[in-house]
């Protein structure tokens, strides 16, 4: 790697990347559990959003998770070529399996492959696509939360998928305030 490239490549910790993949899986599980509380027809009912329904939004996130995972493993596919589960029950079964496969692969390969350049709809190092999986999911799962509210269910705070809630579960501290003050001093 040349000096010029190093200046533009942040130091990316593999554990940090893995944490964000774990977050994406956690947020998807929590969202599915929340969507399960809706009447069946609300999941496929047409909505005014970037996707046509709650199901379509979840399918979209699944499709892109799978798209990036195929590329991480050395495959090449166009986004429209990635199959997505056709029904909500299929999605509920397949998405956790996909996340499990992604996490298993990442635990074994991420350290060595995080800077591998992938080519798909763009050209990026693998680490960027890991962060994109978390970010993309956060964006659309936030939309799902709004659609769930519009469908008549009011989620409790413990059902929210905010990243900070995941961090606090992932990295529990005995004295959260003191711990935060310590790390913010650095």
């Amino acid at each position: 790697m040349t000096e010029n490239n190093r200046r533009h490549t942040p130091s990316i910790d593999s554990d940090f990347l893995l944490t964000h993949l774990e977050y994406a899986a956690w947020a998807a599980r929590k969202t599915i559990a929340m969507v399960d509380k809706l009447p069946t027809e609300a999941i496929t009912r047409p909505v005014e959003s970037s996707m046509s329904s709650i199901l379509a939004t979840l399918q979209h996130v699944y499709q892109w998770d799978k798209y990036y995972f195929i590329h991480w493993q050395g495959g090449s596919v166009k986004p429209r070529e990635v199959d997505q589960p056709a029904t909500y029950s299929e999605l509920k079964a397949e998405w956790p399996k996909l996340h499990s496969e992604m996490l298993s692969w990442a635990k074994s390969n991420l350290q060595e492959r995080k800077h591998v350049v992938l080519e798909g709809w763009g050209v990026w190092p693998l680490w960027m696509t890991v962060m994109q999986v978390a970010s993309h999911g956060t964006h659309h799962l936030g939309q799902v939360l709004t659609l769930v509210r519009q469908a008549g269910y009011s989620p409790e705070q413990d059902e929210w998928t905010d990243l900070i809630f995941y961090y606090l579960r992932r990295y529990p501290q005995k004295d959260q305030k003191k711990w935060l003050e310590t790390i913010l001093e650095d």
Side-chain angles (χ1 to χ4, degrees), residues 111-163:
Q111 177 62 34
E112 302 82 39
R113 294 190 46 86
K114 65 185 175 185
H115 292 293
V116 169
V117 175
L118 307 175
E119 293 187 37
W121 64 266
V123 177
W124 357 252
L126 191 146
W127 71 265
M128 284 184 187
T129 64
V130 169
M131 295 306 293
Q132 174 63 10
V133 165
S135 174
H136 182 251
T138 298
H139 171 75
H140 288 295
L141 297 181
Q143 289 177 325
V144 169
L145 179 65
T146 298
L147 295 171
V148 165
R149 284 186 175 128
Q150 291 173 359
Y153 179 71
S154 186
E156 299 293 325
Q157 185 175 355
D158 68 344
E159 294 176 285
W160 298 354
T161 59
D162 295 59
L163 182 58

